[in-house]
Each structure stands twice: as C-alpha cells, then as structure tokens.
Amino acid sequence: MPLPLSESTRAAALRWLALLRVCGVPRAQVLFTHHPRYADLTPAQYAEGLTWLRRAGMVTVADRPVVVISDCGLGSPVVASAPGLVTWSQAAEEARRAVGVAGERALLRLLKRGGLPHVRHVAAESDAYGYDIEAAWSEVEQAHLEVKSTTDPTRLVVHLTRHECDVMTTDRDWCLTAVLVGADGEAASVATVDREWLQSAVPVDTAKEGRWESARLQVPGHALSRGIAVNGRALLEEGQLPSRLVWGVADRATQA
C-alpha cells in the first residue's frame, strides 16, 4: 500500500501539477528555488513531490500532467500550503461541478466498455435518486453508484449530502465510487469507498433543533479499494481498470 502523503509532499505535488502545465521541470525548479512565493518548502520536499507524481503515474514520461489540478483552484501556492483551508468562489464551484459531471461521464464510458448490459445516468434525470449511475447485471442484481470526482491525486475529499447518506442506509445496492478525472477527460483511477467507514465518519445529530445537511469527508487510504464492487461483486474486471494508484489506495482490486 502506498504510504500516506505528508502535507509538504502533497503541497509540492500540487504546485508541480500547476506549473508543469505551462513550463518544464528546469523552469519550475528555478521558480521553486528562487521565487519567495515558493520558499516555504525546501528543494528536497519539491523533489519528493515530483518523485511521487512520477511514481503514481500522474505525469507522463515527458513530465506533462495527467490531471489538470489548477482548473479546480487547488494549484495555487496559498491553497496548496494550507491543507485545512476551504475556500469558495463562484468560479471554483462551477469548476467543481464541471469535474463532477466529467467524472460521471468518464465512469459511464468505462462501465459501458466493460460490457455491462444496463448502464443508466440517473443523475441526468433527477437528484432524487441519491446516486448518479445505475448499473445492472440483471433485474435483480443492480449497483447504484454515487460518484465523487476529483482531479487531485494527492488526497480524496468528498462532500456527502444528507439525502445521499439516507439512501446509503436503506439501499443495499448503493456504493460510493471515487473517480480521478484525467486531463483527457477519462477516468485515470477508480476506487470504492468502504461503506462501514462512511457510516462511521458521517456526523450524528446531537439535538432535535439541529440537523446536518452536508458533510465534508477526507477519505483515508485504508477505506479505499481499487475498482468498483457492490455486495462483494466487481463491476469491472482487473484488465478493465485504470492502472494508476492514488489517494493511498491499497494495491489490490475489488474482488469479483
């Protein structure tokens, strides 16, 4: 299992992903070494960030980013160096929604290529379902996939609504699926979030006057399994899965 990223390595990796879109490694190294904006991290930490990106397959052999991290407002030095900071803007919200839609569409294509006889994008019809994609092997064997998409390979943060949580507790076929969206719009990595971990991580109402409606959860690597599995059955075979391992996910596929 890949070791969890330190915050310094994560910050460095995010900065590399932002700068490598517009310049090469030598130019980025000069900026990291001499520009005061980047002086909070050491050259060794920047080197470790680039090493992690290469090892995780998040840059090509020519050191071009596989994901477009700065499109979601995460690539700036301020945000990258402050892991606990949550910012909001209309542009960032629109970018997050665009990534969400891209992830759902990428997963739809992946499932259809996998040969499932029934794949339906229910989120395009209504938000009332509490999940985004319905996939089925037969009338009695179904998977209801709530898709959380991101372009950040360094950690997985998901926002779960109260409605999605309520559906999870009553629908045995519900599954939270994480998708890393690549620069080409395809799924660069896919993982299943452990249902028991989710149930333990969501907030609990402590008074009748208060009720939580949305929760922000950072998913640890031990709560992730590569691929997609519902009720112990994998939707995609090993050879159909994207090969990149991110978010500290275990180096194992969900079992068919």
Side-chain angles (χ1 to χ4, degrees):
M1 178 186 298
L3 294 176
L5 286 180
S6 67
E7 287 301 335
S8 61
T9 302
R10 176 181 178 275
L14 290 172
R15 294 177 189 182
W16 276 112
L17 287 173
L19 284 181
L20 289 177
R21 292 186 64 195
V22 296
C23 67
V25 169
R27 174 60 177 164
Q29 287 175 326
V30 170
L31 288 171
F32 291 149
T33 303
H34 299 290
H35 198 293
R37 175 181 293 179
Y38 302 101
D40 58 319
L41 298 179
T42 68
Q45 289 169 328
Y46 283 116
E48 177 59 29
L50 182 58
T51 297
W52 183 87
L53 289 173
R54 289 168 171 168
R55 188 169 58 240
M58 289 296 101
V59 291
T60 67
V61 292
D63 287 320
R64 304 301 297 172
V66 170
V67 292
V68 187
I69 193 73
S70 59
D71 282 355
C72 286
L74 297 173
S76 73
V78 174
V79 175
S81 61
L85 180 64
V86 179
T87 59
W88 184 92
S89 70
Q90 185 64 39
E93 181 64 22
E94 291 176 357
R96 279 190 286 269
R97 289 178 182 174
V99 170
V101 172
E104 292 171 17
R105 291 175 177 171
L107 187 57
L108 283 166
R109 290 191 293 271
L110 190 63
L111 292 171
K112 290 176 180 178
R113 288 197 297 266
L116 283 172
H118 176 83
V119 180
R120 178 182 167 201
H121 192 194
V122 298
E125 304 169 14
S126 171
D127 293 330
Y129 289 91
Y131 54 87
D132 300 305
I133 294 174
E134 180 181 277
W137 298 275
S138 67
E139 290 185 2
V140 296
E141 290 183 292
Q142 294 190 356
H144 300 155
L145 307 181
E146 172 58 31
V147 184
K148 300 299 182 183
S149 310
T150 181
T151 60
D152 186 350
T154 64
R155 68 175 178 179
L156 178 62
V157 176
V158 302
H159 291 81
L160 192 72
T161 68
R162 181 64 175 254
H163 179 52
E164 292 163 354
C165 183
D166 289 343
V167 173
M168 172 179 65
T169 60
T170 58
D171 182 356
R172 67 185 297 271
D173 299 323
W174 189 95
C175 171
L176 186 60
T177 304
V179 177
L180 179 70
V181 181
D184 58 358
E186 298 299 323
S189 191
V190 178
T192 297
V193 181
D194 182 74
R195 191 184 184 112
E196 291 185 4
W197 179 87
L198 265 177
Q199 291 172 332
S200 70
V202 295
V204 176
D205 297 332
T206 58
K208 64 180 180 180
E209 296 85 1
R211 170 186 169 91
W212 72 271
E213 292 296 335
S214 179
R216 179 181 183 273
L217 308 173
Q218 183 168 331
V219 186
H222 66 77
L224 290 163
S225 296
R226 181 166 168 257
I228 313 170
V230 178
N231 298 321
R233 182 169 180 178
L235 272 72
L236 295 169
E237 297 179 359
E238 171 66 26
Q240 298 168 332
L241 293 173
S243 60
R244 295 184 177 89
L245 295 175
V246 293
W247 310 316
V249 66
D251 189 8
R252 65 179 187 277
T254 49
Q255 297 299 308

